[in-house]
Amino acid sequence: MATHTPDGPPQDTVRSLLAELWRDRLQPSRPGSGRETPTGRLIHGALFLTATLSAFVTLGIVLVLIFETVEFFREVPFIDFFGSTEWSALFAEKQFGVWALVWGTGMIALIGLAVAIPLGLMAAIFLSEYSPPRLRAIVKPILEILAGVPTVVFGYFALVSVSPVIRDIFGEDVGIYNALSAGIVVGLMIVPIIASLSEDAMRAVPRSLREGAYALGSTRMEVSLRVVLPAAFSGVVASIILAASRAVGETMAVTIAGGGNPQFGVNPLEAVQTMTAMIVQLSLGDTPTTSIEFKVLFAVAMTLFVLTLAMNIVAQWVSQRFREEYE
Amino acid sequence: MTRVSVAAPSAQLTAFSPRVRIRRGVSIAFMVAALLAIAVSMIMLGALIVEIAVDGAARLFTDGSAVGREARGGAIIADLSTPDGMRWMTWALPVAILLPFIGPRLVNALAPGLPRIAERVMGVIVVAPAAIFVHILYVRFESAYYVEYAKAVGLDGASGNIFQVLAEASGFQIVRLLVVGILVPLAVFAAGWFWAQRMRRPSLIIPTIVIAGWVVYLFMDPWFLSSFPSRQPPEAGIFSAVTGTLYMMVITAAVAFPLGVGAAIYLEEYARRNWFSRMIQVNISNLAGVPSIIYGLLGLQVFVRVLEFERSVLAGACTMALLVMPIIIVSAQEALRTVPPSMREAAYAVGATRWQVIRFHVLPYAFGGMLTGNILAMSRAIGETAPLIAIGALTFIAFLADSPTDDFTVLPIQIFNWVARPQAGFHEIAASAIIVLMVILLLMNAAAIIMRQRTRTDW
């Protein structure tokens, strides 16, 4: 008997139609999946190529960076690049001490982490241990908006809002462009990374651990700090390293707000220049591709690439090596 | 008879030792501190939004058309911002948006049991205004372009009209007008048709958002959206940046989506669990962590120099496609993993080949999730600035890209350019442009959320 559904033709009509359409395609199948027609093999091959594309992208990045970096070190000795803290690539008297840029990057990343670790960790603890589910459902998406705001917008915010406040606090002799305002917005940018990833790690801690601690008379804070946080430690550390790597690779906000002054000082109220900001500065000018300025671009990018890659690998290693396994 | 006091023991129980009371106090203080941390993050986000709104909203809503028209030589060809043109659009849009939802219900209520052909006729009635609307919007956006063109060919802007410009125009410009003027309305027509036919539970969320956006647009003065950048802050607009962003996004999606989804299908459906697929997987997660500016340098060397795309839309889009591909791959993999193995096994059991299983059983169920991931990836790409600066996208473009090999600029670069200037006037334009960028982002994210909810299937 034909079965009728409210919005469609009788089902067995559909079936016979399908059988009609598919008669040529449906052939007796061999046991196991993976029977493929010549067309199927072609598609298989094409999909394989798209999957290997990502490997070629990595290869491309490494080759592009190495090629120009080698060119650079043919003209500038290794020791001038890694053995000096003076950077003046655009002056007549060129100096390529990359430590000035690495230091600028590090300082902004450190300020960012100093802002983001307390905010992000506390937010993660609140969301995972204290918050009722309904509040979490509201707060988490709002925090994630912060992660979706384009970095150029954060740059604008740093320049127009944060910098004036810093000048109000520390006096007028502080420049509009300073490491502190750039660092603060970078910190704001990476709060969601720490909060979100740490919260995931904390929520993965089994409930029985918390209940055991509560049964011994612990307060919520003691459970959060002495039971959940140590149990989720690998995930938390990995989230912080990932956030740091993001802060190191961050470009637009530090270019806009950090100023363009490569220097090796400890004062966060002065302008600095990060590796990324330097790359932007050199890219904006019309640098001829044979010039030393163009080549040093890639040497700096190589340093940045190695640094962030190392941080990402360490983060993966930490989260796998030090993961506490329960159950 | 004496009553047993129940209060006494409990009073004893609650009389905690000072040590316990301190511990509880510290715990509460800790909770307050945690709440404060969240509050600080939110206040900063709020401050960011308020700052931008205060700086930039005025330009979008005040009557700037006088300034804009003066800057353009007092004439707008094919202008639809006249009261008549506005009024026409005012009814055309809500009708176009609402009819696909209300129309079929009306037909069903008035005359239940009509044959399908009636629904199709309804579909035609429904989508025609939508097509007209898109056409109008296109002509409206193009109007600024005609003004520039009229100036360039020496036409008197005040007396010129669209046909006069057309007579002088040639080649690609006419082709583009025909393609966009005919193909886009046709596409809207087809999409509306498809939509009206397919929808089982018409939802009013999307039309409400669009109509709200439309009301805002009516109050906004679109000259900011339809003028070119200028050295004078009051005259500057973001026309070339918005169109450049749209061009680039279309090409980026067209390149990145097939490649990313293809890679995800391979990894989830074909690849054996061996060293190769593990290597690809680790590689993808590492690529997601590479700073975006390094992708820019890759694009500079590979697309701009080796493949000689020059500093074009194409080079920018290809660079961006590589940048967002890890995001698309990972989200498409997650979408594929939600398809239960029983679906595949059932299909294999009736003799389907591997590709048939994927094409007819796995993909249809995972497609919504893939599309959502793609939109989120695009919303990342739309805000990226650094890689495009590295490949050398220009910051001052006073013309529209005609073909994928033209120079271009995009919204974030335009914003960066204005923020980097010392004059405060340019900072305000930057804020206005940021509002436009954030609204586009918000719409994309809303679309992704709605799509995720509507296409989610629970097994």
Side-chain angles (χ1 to χ4, degrees), chain A residues 25 33 35 43-44 47-48 50 54-55 58 68 126 130 150 156-157 160-161 217 221-222 256 294 301 312 316, chain B residues 23 26-27 30-31 38 48 51 55 262-263 266 270 283 286 297 301 351 353-356 419 427 431 441:
Chain A
R25 300 194 207 174
S33 61
R35 190 177 61 89
I43 291 167
H44 189 154
L47 293 175
F48 175 75
T50 59
S54 71
T58 311
E68 294 286 345
F126 182 84
Y130 287 87
Y156 177 84
F157 182 61
V160 176
S161 305
M221 183 189 80
E222 287 159 353
I256 292 171
F294 185 78
N312 289 339
Q316 280 165 18
Chain B
R23 278 172 59 206
V26 169
S27 178
F30 183 73
M31 187 189 79
I38 289 181
L48 188 150
E51 174 76 53
D55 289 354
Y266 181 81
Y270 286 92
N283 181 40
N286 278 329
L297 293 178
Q301 293 292 58
T353 64
R354 210 174 206 182
W355 175 243
Q356 284 168 342
V419 172
H427 288 180
L441 271 176

Side-chain angles (χ1 to χ4, degrees), chain B residues 137-209:
Chain B
L137 205 65
Y138 170 68
V139 174
R140 182 179 174 73
F141 264 106
E142 283 291 80
S143 62
Y145 176 72
Y146 292 132
V147 173
E148 295 298 318
Y149 187 77
K151 272 186 193 163
V153 297
L155 275 174
D156 178 10
S159 66
N161 61 36
I162 188 167
F163 298 106
Q164 207 171 339
V165 175
L166 266 185
E168 299 280 332
S170 62
F172 199 86
Q173 288 151 353
I174 291 182
V175 171
R176 190 172 61 168
L177 182 71
L178 291 181
V179 165
V180 184
I182 294 171
L183 285 190
V184 169
L186 271 182
V188 174
F189 184 90
W193 179 299
F194 185 74
W195 202 12
Q197 299 285 311
R198 275 302 186 85
M199 199 159 275
R200 287 199 182 150
R201 288 174 294 130
S203 148
L204 283 174
I205 301 172
I206 296 172
T208 312
I209 293 173

